[in-house]
Every structure is written in structure tokens, then in C-alpha cells.
Amino acid sequence: VNMKRNIEVIPFCKQMDIAMDGRTNRAIAEKTGIHESEISRIKSGRLTPTKDQIDKIVSALPNYQFKIM
């Protein structure tokens, strides 16, 4: 039996927006050391974050379970 699994892929920028839960770009920038303008561009999907940036953002938002593939 061939059963296909439906896996929803949520872009990092969308997960980040959800995880921020009302926090400002400035607050995340202060916690991560990533410039506020870069946070804005990552959150909007205009900038692909580096592995290091992803790690910092995930650490700054511990109440959200990021799904990163």
C-alpha cells in the first residue's frame, strides 16, 4: 500500500512571524545581534537567513517549535 504523507512546509519567514507573537523587529535584533533591517528582510522573505542567523533567531524565540528542514 502506497500511502502519501501530506507534509505542510511553512517558510522560515512565516514561522518567524508567528513566533515573534507581537515582539518588535528591534527586540529580536537586540536579542540576536542581527541588525534590525536584516531582521525585517528575513521576516518579509526578502533575505534568506544564514545558518548562524537561523540559530540566533530560534534561540531568541524559545516558545515556538520551529520546523526546519
Side-chain angles (χ1 to χ4, degrees), residues 12 16 28 31-43 47-61 66 68:
F12 183 79
M16 184 177 167
I28 302 306
K31 284 184 120 176
T32 61
I34 301 168
H35 196 278
E36 189 176 347
S37 66
E38 285 186 290
I39 294 292
S40 177
R41 293 195 326 263
I42 292 168
K43 187 175 158 189
L47 176 67
T48 301
T50 65
K51 168 85 168 83
D52 185 53
Q53 289 171 324
I54 290 172
D55 291 344
K56 288 177 180 180
I57 292 166
V58 169
S59 292
L61 299 166
F66 282 88
I68 301 169

Side-chain angles (χ1 to χ4, degrees), residues 10 12 15-16 18-19 58 61-68:
I10 302 172
F12 183 79
Q15 291 186 65
M16 184 177 167
I18 294 166
V58 169
L61 299 166
N63 294 331
Y64 183 81
Q65 183 66 43
F66 282 88
K67 294 163 190 71
I68 301 169

